[in-house]
Amino acid sequence: MTDTKDPDFLNLKPEFSIVLGYINKTEYLPEIESQCAKGHICISLDPPPLKLNIVVEDVIYGDMQSKSVTAYTTSHYGLSTYPEDVYYLFMLKTNGKEIIIPRYSPKEIALDIDEQPTLPMFSIDDIPEWIPCNISHLNKMIEYDGSYEHVLYAIEDFTPEELKEMESFAVISEYSVRIVRGIYLSDIKRYLSKQSC
């Protein structure tokens, strides 16, 4: 447990960075004090806010100088939401003091067979809404290791409508769905460096 004061999750500045990285240390902050109106009872179904230490492997967008940052977020599922040593595409915002990760915004990435990081896609619209430009047109066929956990899913995880939507982005068999399209993070970085969105 840490004695860090609760970060300000609301008053975030418009500037932000997008980085590729992984979490190497996690902990809970103290419980946030309830701010109920007098005479009312408040119940929070969330555990305390999370403090995450992120190792930055690459800056995809924005101005992030540090190779290791401490950031804060919240999640209904607590620390189990973000296992350590899993690569994510993070959006990092600031309130002028702390770095904040918007709730549930990190996106798991997958490596191709040459271990190049990619953003796997289930469909043409499957891109983070916080990326400042429309990058869906950058998607291409990617040769993934078929057993990689972020591109191979049990077919029962999807509805018939979802399966229909992802037909051109996945190989769908009787038992599984294997993602075969995505965007290389190097392509995202190159494209965003030339745009003003």
Side-chain angles (χ1 to χ4, degrees), residues 35 37 45 69 71 90 100-101 128 132 138 149 161 171 176 194 196:
Q35 308 231 345
L45 298 180
V69 298
F90 291 101
I100 306 295
I101 302 171
L138 298 176
E149 64 179 309
E161 293 77 20
V171 173
S176 67
K194 297 175 181 176
S196 61

Side-chain angles (χ1 to χ4, degrees), residues 126-171:
D126 186 26
I127 56 171
E129 62 184 26
W130 40 261
I131 289 184
C133 301
N134 183 355
I135 60 167
S136 58
H137 64 282
L138 298 176
N139 83 84
K140 56 183 68 170
M141 290 290 293
I142 294 177
E143 194 171 352
Y144 291 114
D145 177 344
S147 64
Y148 196 78
E149 64 179 309
H150 305 309
V151 297
L152 186 67
Y153 300 87
I155 196 162
E156 57 264 23
D157 291 346
F158 304 96
T159 66
E161 293 77 20
E162 289 171 331
L163 292 172
K164 183 161 181 54
E165 186 178 347
M166 64 177 70
E167 279 177 349
S168 59
F169 280 74
V171 173

Side-chain angles (χ1 to χ4, degrees), residues 23 25-26 49 76-77 87 94:
I23 298 164
K25 185 179 177 187
T26 60
H76 178 68
Y77 304 100
Y87 280 93
T94 182

Side-chain angles (χ1 to χ4, degrees), residues 28-42:
Y28 287 110
L29 295 179
E31 289 274 6
I32 293 179
E33 285 188 26
S34 176
Q35 308 231 345
C36 286
K38 199 168 187 178
H40 290 78
I41 296 174
C42 291

Side-chain angles (χ1 to χ4, degrees), residues 94-140:
T94 182
N95 56 24
K97 184 178 176 186
E98 298 106 350
I99 294 174
I100 306 295
I101 302 171
R103 188 175 172 100
Y104 303 134
S105 62
K107 297 295 180 185
E108 290 181 2
I109 65 100
L111 304 178
D112 73 357
I113 60 168
D114 296 319
E115 300 196 341
Q116 296 303 305
T118 76
L119 184 66
M121 296 172 68
F122 287 100
S123 69
I124 192 68
D125 298 319
D126 186 26
I127 56 171
E129 62 184 26
W130 40 261
I131 289 184
C133 301
N134 183 355
I135 60 167
S136 58
H137 64 282
L138 298 176
N139 83 84
K140 56 183 68 170

Side-chain angles (χ1 to χ4, degrees), residues 12-112:
L12 302 180
K13 297 180 178 299
E15 301 83 13
F16 63 93
S17 296
I18 299 172
V19 304
L20 166 67
Y22 62 90
I23 298 164
N24 70 350
K25 185 179 177 187
T26 60
E27 63 181 288
Y28 287 110
L29 295 179
E31 289 274 6
I32 293 179
E33 285 188 26
S34 176
Q35 308 231 345
C36 286
K38 199 168 187 178
H40 290 78
I41 296 174
C42 291
I43 299 173
S44 173
L45 298 180
D46 278 2
L50 314 178
K51 179 181 177 182
L52 309 176
N53 190 68
I54 298 169
V55 176
V56 177
E57 292 283 317
D58 194 12
V59 178
I60 306 302
Y61 177 82
D63 185 28
M64 174 62 62
Q65 303 297 323
S66 179
K67 292 296 184 186
S68 179
V69 298
T70 298
Y72 302 90
T73 193
T74 59
S75 169
H76 178 68
Y77 304 100
L79 293 177
S80 64
T81 310
Y82 303 115
E84 295 181 18
D85 301 321
V86 172
Y87 280 93
Y88 294 96
L89 194 61
F90 291 101
M91 177 197 198
L92 303 178
K93 299 194 82 172
T94 182
N95 56 24
K97 184 178 176 186
E98 298 106 350
I99 294 174
I100 306 295
I101 302 171
R103 188 175 172 100
Y104 303 134
S105 62
K107 297 295 180 185
E108 290 181 2
I109 65 100
L111 304 178
D112 73 357

